[in-house]
Amino acid sequence: MNNHLEKLLPIQDVRFNGDVDQKSLREVGASTPRRDAISHVTGQTVYFEDNTFPGMLHLKMVRSPHHYARIRGIDFSEAEKTPGFVRVITHRDVPYNYYTILRLIGVEPNDEPVLADDRVVYWGEPIAAVLAESPQAAAIAASRVKVEFEPLDAVFDVEEALKPGAPIVTRQGFNYFRYEGHHCRRVRFGEVSQGFASADLIIERRWDTSPIEHAPMETTGCIAKPAGDGRFTVYTNTQALYFSLDNTALILGIPAGRLHFIGGTVGGGFGGKVDVIVEPIATLGAMLTNRPVKFVYTREEEMRISSTRAAERFYIRDGVMRDGRIVARQITLYVDAGAYSRHSPYGTTKAAAHMPGPYTIPNVWVDAHCVYTNRQPSSAMRGFGVTLGDFAIESQMDVIANELRIDPLRLRLINAYRDGDLKAHRKRVEGAALVEVIQKAAELVEQKLDPDLAAMSSGSR
Amino acid sequence: MNNAVVAIVSQGSLQHFSFLVNGARYEVLAPPLMSLGEVLREKCGLRGLKHGCQQGGCGACSVQVDGQLVPACMLPMTRANQKSIETIEGLAQGEQLHPIQEAFVECYATQCGFCTAGMIMATKALLESNPSPSREEVLVALSGNVCRCTGYLPIVDAVLVAARNAHSPDLAEPAV
Amino acid sequence: MSFPDLVIPETVDQAVEALSLPHRQALIFGGGTLVQPFITLGTDVHDLVIDLDHLALDQVVFENGQVSCGAMVRLAQLAQALPQDYIQAAVASIAGPAIRNLATVGGNLFAKPPYGDLATLLLALDAEVELASSEGTRRISLNDFYLMRDNAEASSTNGVLVTGVRFSADSRRKVVFRKMARKQLNAGAMVTVALSLRLNGGIVADARLALGGVDHRPIRAPSAERVLTGSNLSDEVIESAAQAALQDCRPRTDAYASAWYRGRMIPVQVRRALNSLTPQ
């Protein structure tokens, strides 16, 4: 068979490097010193802010004090008189004033402006960037900018935001992300109404979480510096270096080849430094002034304005049999994206796919909503879209175990999916190990399992 | 009695300050109310200390001033004049790491590294006044230093290992 | 411009004079732990900083059950100088070691909730503040000083400088300090309780109950003190005092706890403080 056709066949025979040369692999099971430990303990590791350049300007953002408001006008006259003031940047200066995070992975619309134009939709939203000779001068000048607002009614709750008559946060006319024309991600498997009808007991609970702030030790920031040849060098602590470079190029309307991003040293990310939120405006500042520009979040900005893990709300309705089998599971979940999309539409898709948890349930119904409110835009954090789902699912499992007076491990073992089972979103289970992990964990905590549970395996039901 | 008020130092004007850092003398011009942290980083090129909060709340900027542990972001330059300051850069002797630094490497007490300089200075201040701390004393000594990566246990172990390696009697056992 | 004017007086008289220099808003720079962040972040509001470091207000004297303490005494220094376990507990509850090396006794009087734990203890120890102004020096109770500030026009200094604090460390009194916080170390107060009792036989001759984190500043709880005075420390009296304390508080919501939760915890913490003084 010729090579071209070989590429189209499923991969049957995978060979890893390890199969070829075992002797060169020594890391697993060994204690290997961290490669960066010595530079950390000697203070030699270079974080973005450890670079400084002559003539560097400091950027301080003027931010919205309202949750939702129209902008009627801005007066910079007092700010301009501040000693050390250099210039201000508004939306009119931004070549393409919209973040394009999701567009880069084919998801639209681009909903978040780099700098607000006629309105603000969350407390802290950036309105204008002030550049000055020192961080103190920039902060003082920014505090003297006067913005005239017309406050509007805001909405802070995901279910309130979906009710008729709620304030509309987006420019699309509705407060949810549209998935291929639908108002939520949907999973339909079997027929839950029949499952509920046949169940011995219906158990229904609601689970809520709060937004969580990553609180890295190093706040978000970057320094953008003209390289002197029409290019810009950007020192940044982003977790998403290429994302940031591409977004910056699109927003500034320049070829990506004119940008040189230096990063990879992050003083704590956890998903909080993936929003590309400082590089475009700092680079624009460098472009407009031909001087290096530093934009670093204060601790207050990091804690109160930077993105968080989304708050989520779950309604889980289960039909269960007395022997512990779950025969129907219906889930309605809401992800609070806050005022803008960022990564939440993607996270909500993951959330939907993660339901109903690692269990084989014959009838599953899921509606997963990505909802906009006037809260801080939420974004990525440590398994976003998935980890909170597990909190809700496993809390629900414990409730079921309690109601049925069944050992919580038994409940999980009898419902755990097995190899070859079809999941609710139509993927086959492969390489399942939940049964074995529970058995091993029980052994480690010296909890003796009943013989029928101890004999179970992921290979058979 | 002389009631004349000492001259006002007008805004933005620079004063001359002289101080030691890690035994070397520095002469700088700085606003007297600029923090020691900003002066060390921006004017002295000593960027090992980090600014995590600028409010004394995180410990990442901890240095020793005349032997005392101090958040460098909280001390205005006017109060640091003529003082002897120690920073992370003063611990290693060429390629030879300080025992505290070795212990932090050995115990995997670093991840992103941003809290590390402050943790090590807090450790140094502790061991200089209390060479054989209990685990509880270590927790108190490091209570002003925040870490978001390690969960603290490897750092506490590193402090106890450093104390042991300095050959002190009466030791608490690290968890490792 | 980027930094406020700085004045470094060499005497208390000079410091008082500096207060009357024309200015919009002044910052009194004691330890700096409450004030330096405003300066570093860039303040358009404060145009004058008055540095207290050259006024020699850094002595602690303990004699005849009384402590006399300059306003610039650092918290760490206070804990070194005084062995009483309630002093140790109060100082240890505040921030971390580096902050305690800088923060001052005087400064803690002005720390807004959820801070001000030493001030809370001092209220229970019959503290008096030594004040200097253009009219000379005087001494008033800390409680009266707080009431005076409650009623004064908005001005960070009011032309008055706190130069020192005096308080009772009478070993015949039963004193307890406890602070409820989210963490055991380095956390602001949800509810701080400082209690000082003089007992005659099993009867409370007089009681001072101070609470922190439960109002806009540290407060005394006279409703609880009235329940305790003249009573024994039975379970019923303790419960009654714990509930009465709540009436004196106007707890607020902050990042650490809601007003509701503080309200639930105030009687619990007061009860525990009282219980710790009864033989169990």
Side-chain angles (χ1 to χ4, degrees), chain A residues 219-254:
Chain A
T219 62
T220 304
C222 71
I223 299 174
K225 177 186 180 303
D229 56 356
R231 301 175 74 227
F232 296 88
T233 309
V234 182
Y235 303 85
T236 163
N237 60 19
T238 182
Q239 293 175 253
L241 202 64
Y242 293 98
F243 238 17
S244 299
L245 190 155
D246 289 341
N247 245 273
T248 300
L250 288 167
I251 286 167
L252 300 188
I254 60 177

Side-chain angles (χ1 to χ4, degrees), chain A residues 30-34 36-38 40-47 49-52 56 135-136 212-219 265-268 270 294 298-300 381, chain B residues 34 38 41-42 47-55 58-60 88-89 91-92 97 100-102 104-105 108 110-117 120 145-149:
Chain A
S31 278
T32 307
R34 296 184 67 101
D36 52 7
I38 291 181
H40 287 345
V41 299
T42 54
Q44 291 178 87
T45 305
V46 178
Y47 301 84
E49 207 180 2
D50 297 332
N51 296 291
T52 193
M56 188 168 74
Q136 291 82 13
I212 300 179
E213 168 52 44
H214 317 76
M217 289 305 294
E218 182 200 28
T219 62
T265 299
V266 186
F270 319 115
K294 177 162 81 168
T298 63
R299 177 50 58 180
E300 184 182 10
M381 183 177 186
Chain B
M34 180 178 278
E38 214 172 319
R41 283 180 55 84
E42 303 303 325
R47 303 210 165 84
L49 76 92
K50 305 300 176 198
H51 282 139
C53 73
Q54 300 276 22
Q55 300 171 37
C58 74
I88 188 75
E89 288 89 349
L91 266 72
L97 294 180
I100 297 174
Q101 291 169 316
E102 283 182 339
F104 269 63
V105 172
Y108 297 90
T110 68
Q111 285 191 31
C112 84
F114 206 73
C115 76
T116 301
I120 289 177
N145 293 77
V146 179
C147 171
R148 289 290 291 155
C149 296

Side-chain angles (χ1 to χ4, degrees), chain A residues 195-333:
Chain A
F196 289 133
S198 71
D200 291 334
L201 194 60
I202 307 288
I203 295 171
E204 204 163 354
R205 289 291 189 280
R206 164 178 157 171
W207 305 98
D208 281 273
T209 71
S210 298
I212 300 179
E213 168 52 44
H214 317 76
M217 289 305 294
E218 182 200 28
T219 62
T220 304
C222 71
I223 299 174
K225 177 186 180 303
D229 56 356
R231 301 175 74 227
F232 296 88
T233 309
V234 182
Y235 303 85
T236 163
N237 60 19
T238 182
Q239 293 175 253
L241 202 64
Y242 293 98
F243 238 17
S244 299
L245 190 155
D246 289 341
N247 245 273
T248 300
L250 288 167
I251 286 167
L252 300 188
I254 60 177
R258 281 179 57 193
L259 294 172
H260 178 193
F261 271 51
I262 297 178
T265 299
V266 186
F270 319 115
K273 291 177 171 147
V274 301
D275 288 333
V276 192
I277 207 79
V278 291
E279 296 86 352
I281 193 68
T283 309
L284 180 60
M287 243 175 148
L288 294 173
T289 60
N290 197 33
R291 291 171 66 172
V293 171
K294 177 162 81 168
F295 181 16
V296 61
Y297 274 16
T298 63
R299 177 50 58 180
E300 184 182 10
E301 284 174 310
E302 189 66 45
M303 302 304 281
R304 300 186 74 182
I305 289 157
S306 79
S307 63
T308 62
R309 179 193 292 285
E312 295 185 35
R313 179 175 302 163
F314 303 80
Y315 292 93
I316 305 181
R317 184 166 197 260
D318 287 327
V320 307
M321 309 307 285
R322 286 261 158 236
D323 63 6
R325 283 175 296 130
I326 304 171
V327 294
R329 174 162 277 178
Q330 180 179 341
I331 299 172
T332 304
L333 74 91

Side-chain angles (χ1 to χ4, degrees), chain A residues 19 26 109 153 204 269 278 294 380 450:
Chain A
D19 298 335
R26 290 186 207 97
D153 288 338
E204 204 163 354
V278 291
K294 177 162 81 168
D450 289 338

